[in-house]
Amino acid sequence: MQVIITNMTISEYCQQMKEKKIIVNHNYQRSGKIWPPAAKSYFIDTLILGFPIPKLYIYQVTDLKTRKTTKEIVDGQQRSTTILSFYNDEFKISGNSQFRGRKFSQLEEEDQSKFLNYQLGIDSFVNATPDEIRQTFKRMNSYTVPLNAQEKRYAISQGSFKWFITELSNRYAETLKSIGVFSEKELSRMDDAEFLSDIISTLFYGIERFSNSGLDKLYREYEDDFPNSVEINQQIDNAFYWILKWKEIHRTAIVKSYNFYALLLSVIHHLYPNPKLMEVRSVEKKHGFTDDIVLFNLSQLSEVLENKNSIEDKSKYSDFVKAASATTTKGHREIRFKYFCQALEPQIV
């Protein structure tokens, strides 16, 4: 078997697909699911903006009688058909893309050029048997880092909720890193997407122990449509608006992911009282917070976590200290949530 490593512009690739020099062989299709509009749009947006994508793999076959060579797409069929479909002006970009509402022909000339001249990385298998192709992918997969639960969720789902979380995490990834919730490594393993999914799950179903199966269910439930997107976006955006004002608590123990889960929910709950969260802590709707009071209260909580001996009356924080660890049990989550709710009010206790 010989592997030829090449690059091809999208313009060249689409022309060869139109001429049937590169064809789709559905025997190689690993998933029967067709990408929804959100997935197609996100992919095209990625290409126009020049971000890298995985290689395409092609099986090159020559008919000795006709001496005709064809290339069958082994891996990358959804990407290839999406590229060709957009090239043919068959759909508009949707979602939060800056190119929203435009077909290829409606893009600015500069952006059309970026799309057409994008360099696709292609590995072509020549003189390969089906077994050698199977072995290729088995060997490649044996050296990759195993997917975590959120990465598996993303690999399986192409539904509305996944693309909502994708846009949300893209919007807040840098913020979550800068205030100290996640490291760059954690962001690269999609901890932020899992965290935001968990927040939304709690808004819908109440505080529960963290559960991968519960998040899997959420992605399945909103596979076809996520009608709450505008409402949830507003709640999370407004909560981040206030938290970003409280710079003194950034990069403290309070914004460790397991504590930030409770803080973010408590801010949302005060701004938009949530029926499920009312079962844990009753609050009155607020239109904003008194920064000085909130910062003082949150600083007290931060201080008791980072320097327990500096607080005179430690007894009133004992439950919080016990619960403020990297645990995701329902009981500990509820205790943390109650304390943060209290911190947003005039008196912490």
Side-chain angles (χ1 to χ4, degrees), residues 270 286 290 293-294 296-297 341-349:
H270 277 81
K286 288 180 175 287
T290 306
I293 292 175
V294 169
F296 176 81
N297 290 340
C341 281
Q342 292 168 0
L344 300 177
E345 296 163 5
Q347 295 293 329
I348 195 166
V349 292

Side-chain angles (χ1 to χ4, degrees), residues 312-343:
E312 292 183 7
D313 185 5
K314 296 186 286 293
S315 61
K316 68 179 181 180
Y317 298 109
S318 58
D319 288 344
F320 177 70
V321 171
K322 291 176 184 176
S325 59
T327 61
T328 57
T329 65
K330 179 179 179 179
H332 281 180
R333 282 182 157 191
E334 288 182 343
I335 291 171
R336 294 196 296 257
F337 174 71
K338 289 177 183 177
Y339 269 87
F340 282 122
C341 281
Q342 292 168 0

Side-chain angles (χ1 to χ4, degrees), residues 15-23 68-72:
Q15 193 59 42
Q16 290 200 30
M17 288 189 73
K18 289 169 73 74
E19 294 172 358
K20 305 299 181 184
K21 292 179 179 178
I22 297 177
I23 62 174
K68 181 180 178 181
T69 298
T70 58
K71 300 172 183 176
E72 300 177 353

Side-chain angles (χ1 to χ4, degrees), residues 109-321:
E109 288 188 2
E110 179 183 357
D111 296 321
Q112 289 182 356
S113 178
K114 289 178 181 177
F115 175 74
L116 293 176
N117 291 305
Y118 186 96
Q119 294 281 334
L120 299 169
I122 300 172
D123 281 5
S124 298
F125 301 120
V126 181
N127 299 322
T129 66
D131 182 64
E132 286 175 324
I133 293 176
R134 283 193 296 271
Q135 283 292 326
T136 297
F137 288 102
K138 285 181 180 178
R139 289 168 185 263
M140 287 170 56
N141 292 335
S142 68
Y143 292 104
T144 57
V145 177
L147 298 179
N148 62 33
Q150 183 62 28
E151 290 167 333
K152 289 177 182 177
R153 229 168 264 129
Y154 260 49
I156 294 170
S157 173
Q158 292 296 342
S160 297
F161 188 73
K162 167 188 171 173
W163 295 106
F164 173 80
I165 291 295
T166 298
E167 292 181 352
L168 192 63
S169 60
N170 284 346
R171 191 157 76 245
Y172 284 110
E174 189 60 35
T175 295
L176 290 167
K177 177 185 173 182
S178 66
I179 67 176
V181 182
F182 294 115
S183 66
E184 189 64 46
K185 181 179 180 180
E186 288 168 330
L187 292 176
S188 70
R189 296 306 306 270
M190 307 186 76
D191 285 17
D192 56 328
E194 183 172 79
F195 172 84
L196 292 166
S197 301
D198 194 18
I199 289 289
I200 295 171
S201 177
T202 304
L203 293 175
F204 287 175
Y205 308 120
I207 296 177
E208 297 289 346
R209 181 186 183 91
F210 175 82
S211 164
N212 278 313
S213 61
L215 293 189
D216 293 343
K217 177 185 175 183
L218 186 66
Y219 276 70
R220 290 194 302 269
E221 184 172 349
Y222 293 103
E223 178 79 16
D224 296 328
D225 186 31
F226 185 54
N228 308 84
S229 59
V230 174
E231 173 189 355
I232 296 298
N233 262 323
Q234 183 182 39
Q235 292 184 15
I236 291 177
D237 286 349
N238 284 344
F240 267 103
Y241 165 80
W242 286 100
I243 292 172
L244 289 175
K245 290 178 68 179
W246 304 329
K247 297 183 186 300
E248 290 84 347
I249 66 165
H250 297 176
R251 308 198 73 81
T252 68
I254 279 183
V255 295
K256 297 293 184 182
S257 59
Y258 44 89
N259 287 328
F260 191 69
Y261 163 88
L263 174 60
L264 182 59
L265 284 171
S266 66
V267 175
I268 293 173
H269 185 40
H270 277 81
L271 296 172
Y272 308 91
N274 181 286
K276 291 292 184 181
L277 296 178
M278 279 289 191
E279 298 173 9
V280 181
R281 171 77 180 187
S282 179
V283 300
E284 293 184 5
K285 181 177 175 64
K286 288 180 175 287
H287 297 288
F289 301 94
T290 306
D291 292 334
D292 290 345
I293 292 175
V294 169
L295 278 172
F296 176 81
N297 290 340
L298 289 178
S299 296
Q300 288 285 100
L301 293 181
S302 176
E303 185 69 19
V304 78
L305 292 179
E306 295 178 350
N307 188 8
K308 301 178 179 62
N309 294 328
S310 68
I311 303 297
E312 292 183 7
D313 185 5
K314 296 186 286 293
S315 61
K316 68 179 181 180
Y317 298 109
S318 58
D319 288 344
F320 177 70
V321 171

